[in-house]
Amino acid sequence: MKTPPASALRLLTLATAATAVVFTAFDAAPAAAQTAARVEAQTRPNFGLLLSPSAGTRNRNHRRYNYRDHRPDYRPDWRPGPDGGWGPGYGPGAGPNEVIVQCGGNPGSGAIENAVRRVPAGGTLTIRSNGGACVGWLNIDKPMTVRGSGTYAGQVTLQAPEGLPCITVAPGVRAVIQDLAMAAPTAGEAPCVAGDEATVVLDRVSLRYVGNESPFLIRGGILDIRNASIDAQTMSPAILVEDGTLTAVSVNVINAQSGIEVAPGSGGPSLINSVYLTGEKNPSNFGPRSIGVNVRSRRSLGELNIVNSRICGYNEGVAVDGVRVNVQGSKVCLADKGLVVYGGELKLDDSRVRARYVGVYADAGRAVVTASIFSGVDRPFESGPRGDVDASNNRLWSRSDICRPDFRDEYRGRYSPDWGGRRRDDRFSCMTRPYPQEWWAEEEGAMGLPYVNDAYVLPGMGRFNSGCGWYTRDGGFIDDTRYYGEARWGRRNPPLPYANDPRYDRGWIRQQERLRETWCSAPSRGGFGLLNPVAPIVTPY
């Protein structure tokens, strides 16, 4: 075999080395890229985890470090919560369907809005405020329950941003709000709680509202509000339900130009039970009408029941237009017109109405009034050309001429009042005794107004009822002390009740009769007359 020359061997060796260098260069580039990718993956932050933290908790049993032993501020009741934070109540008791958010004095942080998005359908959002109200807008687009910090009468938990609502509920969604204190100090044209074709249930809530819209605005849905306190400084109704169903129980509303406006829909009768509506003592005559409860008709004939409620401080206590309204056991006070029927039907039973001008006015439609009490009015009932008032068994306390009696000529120009004369109206009876002060305390007295007796009192009525004096034809009182009782009418007084009792001395009885005849001339004598009886004196025979 022939051996290759040395030069050829050198060339082969150089070629092999060059080939190895080329392949090494091609392999080094992918290796460097992979190393850089691993470094970037380890150092790059996980923005998805930061923006949406996991609702679960990691298993820390493998850790040997014990916070109980190394941290003096260790709180065993503080656990990681589903919102990624720490606090009391987290962990056991806050299940996977509950999101708890802690906030306070944080406008613009978006904590409330993000918490609503994380709540699953049918879940619960618990809001806890620390150091101030949680500022945000709850836009609820799935069924859920929103809970406050356990009390609705204390510190505000949820505050609406300027010009925005507190809570809005999407169509077809049922939202339950409990134990929540809300505020909308700069609402502008926005309501606080609004929903279209939605079901909104509120229990143990409070609201302070300053704006131009209705604080509670529901269109075409259901509003069920119970145990609520509403301070609404607005020209609109505090509660407005359009073409829907309203259930209001134990609700207190103050300061609103109008209390409740409802247009009942086809979802069943609406109910107002144990509701206290308090307007201004002197409501403005400008802007919308001041109405306690305004009931209007929409596409169908609706029905509203008002039970055990008080409506005070409005121009019109209850206004009915095209629907059926039943008022039972309620009080309307400090109004110009108590109840007004513009159309439809009103039934008023076992209620009390205090108004300045008219108790019940039926412009059109029909009003049925039974067993009710009217006070302070010029006229208890009035009807327009297309209205009708059917009333019976009512009582009236009024100083107007409607309760002024006729005067009947008894004897030689001496007149006595006739309360059942030509002025008699079978629909009501005029009361002459004072208006009960306990009733006043439940009505206008609850607003700090002094007691007023609205009974029609003739001058000298007490003296006349004691048997002294008479009246002129025009109602002037003549206090004549010469005659007592029937003697002023030219008739003999009846015998004393014990005149024929044989146990009494005849002389003592005649003395009593003489004292009776002179009673009007000496009413303070304190004798044994008929008006100041004492135990009879028994004289033995």
Side-chain angles (χ1 to χ4, degrees):
M1 180 175 180
K2 188 177 179 178
T3 303
S7 59
L9 292 174
R10 287 195 297 271
L11 290 174
L12 179 61
T13 302
L14 292 174
T16 304
T19 305
V21 169
V22 170
F23 281 103
T24 303
F26 279 103
D27 292 341
Q34 292 176 3
T35 302
R38 285 197 299 271
V39 172
E40 181 182 4
Q42 294 174 357
T43 59
R44 181 178 56 194
N46 190 340
F47 291 99
L49 182 61
L50 292 176
L51 295 177
S52 181
S54 173
T57 58
R58 292 187 299 168
N59 185 6
R60 301 180 184 268
N61 294 331
H62 66 282
R63 294 195 175 190
R64 297 180 180 179
Y65 187 84
N66 191 339
Y67 283 89
R68 185 189 305 272
D69 299 334
H70 297 276
R71 290 188 57 179
D73 59 344
Y74 172 72
R75 292 288 303 274
D77 58 330
W78 283 43
R79 300 180 177 88
D83 60 346
W86 287 71
Y90 288 165
N97 290 332
E98 181 179 6
V99 174
I100 302 176
V101 58
Q102 291 194 10
C103 52
N106 58 341
S109 66
I112 292 289
E113 291 81 354
N114 293 333
V116 172
R117 286 192 288 269
R118 295 201 306 273
V119 177
T124 300
L125 171 64
T126 301
I127 303 175
R128 294 174 178 171
S129 59
N130 296 324
C134 299
V135 181
W137 169 14
L138 303 184
N139 186 16
I140 301 176
D141 57 357
K142 53 198 167 188
M144 70 169 58
T145 299
V146 179
R147 290 177 182 161
S149 54
T151 175
Y152 67 94
Q155 180 182 355
V156 174
T157 305
L158 176 64
Q159 178 175 318
E162 182 176 357
L164 294 177
C166 309
I167 300 173
T168 54
V169 184
V173 174
R174 186 179 190 271
V176 180
I177 295 94
Q178 298 174 340
D179 300 311
L180 190 63
M182 300 176 288
T186 55
E189 303 297 329
C192 181
V193 178
D196 290 342
E197 301 291 340
T199 299
V200 181
V201 180
L202 300 106
D203 189 13
R204 302 184 301 277
V205 299
S206 65
L207 170 64
R208 294 198 298 267
Y209 178 90
V210 180
N212 301 321
E213 188 53 86
S214 295
F216 294 88
L217 177 58
I218 303 297
R219 291 189 174 95
I222 298 175
L223 175 61
D224 189 323
I225 179 169
R226 302 167 187 263
N227 306 307
S229 176
I230 304 170
D231 183 354
Q233 299 182 28
T234 176
M235 298 294 288
S236 301
I239 299 175
L240 175 58
V241 177
E242 287 276 357
D243 196 19
T245 302
L246 168 67
T247 300
V249 180
S250 299
V251 178
N252 185 19
V253 177
I254 61 173
N255 292 330
Q257 176 78 0
S258 296
I260 296 176
E261 182 173 335
V262 55
S266 57
S270 296
L271 173 65
I272 297 176
N273 188 0
S274 302
V275 172
Y276 293 86
L277 306 178
T278 305
E280 301 178 359
K281 295 181 182 179
N282 297 306
S284 174
N285 292 323
F286 299 93
R289 288 184 303 165
S290 175
I291 303 175
V293 178
N294 188 13
V295 194
R296 301 180 288 105
S297 62
R298 294 287 288 180
R299 293 172 296 197
S300 58
L301 178 62
E303 182 176 351
L304 172 67
N305 298 316
I306 303 176
V307 182
N308 297 329
S309 299
R310 188 188 70 194
I311 305 167
C312 285
Y314 303 94
N315 293 131
E316 298 177 6
V318 178
V320 181
D321 190 0
V323 296
R324 182 181 294 108
V325 176
N326 302 312
V327 181
Q328 170 73 31
S330 299
K331 295 172 283 291
V332 177
C333 54
L334 203 62
D336 291 339
K337 298 178 181 178
L339 300 96
V340 183
V341 182
Y342 296 101
E345 183 181 63
L346 167 68
K347 290 185 178 180
L348 178 68
D349 180 63
D350 192 22
S351 299
R352 299 201 299 263
V353 179
R354 288 187 57 84
R356 183 180 304 175
Y357 303 117
V358 184
V360 175
Y361 176 72
D363 182 69
R366 184 169 181 261
V368 180
V369 185
T370 56
S372 295
I373 295 169
F374 297 86
S375 59
V377 298
D378 292 338
R379 303 173 303 279
F381 314 114
E382 187 175 351
S383 58
R386 297 186 298 116
D388 177 58
V389 177
D390 183 5
S392 62
N393 195 25
N394 300 289
R395 289 179 286 173
L396 173 63
W397 275 264
S398 176
R399 296 181 180 181
S400 67
D401 289 341
I402 196 170
C403 280
R404 186 176 186 271
D406 294 328
F407 292 92
R408 181 173 60 245
D409 189 358
E410 296 284 358
Y411 177 72
R412 295 182 178 180
R414 303 173 187 177
Y415 290 82
S416 66
D418 183 11
W419 300 95
R422 58 183 176 85
R423 297 176 184 266
R424 178 179 175 84
D425 193 326
D426 293 335
R427 299 179 298 178
F428 61 89
S429 300
C430 288
M431 299 288 105
T432 58
R433 60 184 177 87
Y435 190 76
Q437 296 193 25
E438 59 272 19
W439 293 356
W440 176 272
E442 297 173 352
E443 299 161 355
E444 297 179 7
M447 303 178 67
L449 298 179
Y451 171 76
V452 175
N453 178 23
D454 291 314
Y456 191 95
V457 179
L458 287 171
M461 192 64 188
R463 183 78 167 158
F464 178 84
N465 289 336
S466 67
C468 304
W470 56 79
Y471 287 91
T472 64
R473 181 171 57 184
D474 298 328
F477 181 68
I478 305 298
D479 190 3
D480 194 310
T481 62
R482 297 173 298 171
Y483 308 101
Y484 170 79
E486 294 296 318
R488 53 186 167 172
W489 314 131
R491 299 186 289 266
R492 296 188 56 165
N493 285 309
L496 295 174
Y498 43 81
N500 297 324
D501 194 331
R503 296 177 300 170
Y504 295 94
D505 182 71
R506 297 297 94 187
W508 180 83
I509 293 177
R510 287 192 295 270
Q511 180 187 8
Q512 299 304 305
E513 291 177 346
R514 288 192 298 268
L515 289 175
R516 182 179 63 173
E517 298 302 326
T518 60
W519 178 261
C520 293
S521 60
S524 61
R525 176 180 297 175
F528 306 119
L530 185 62
L531 301 179
N532 189 17
V534 296
I537 299 176
V538 179
T539 302
Y541 291 92

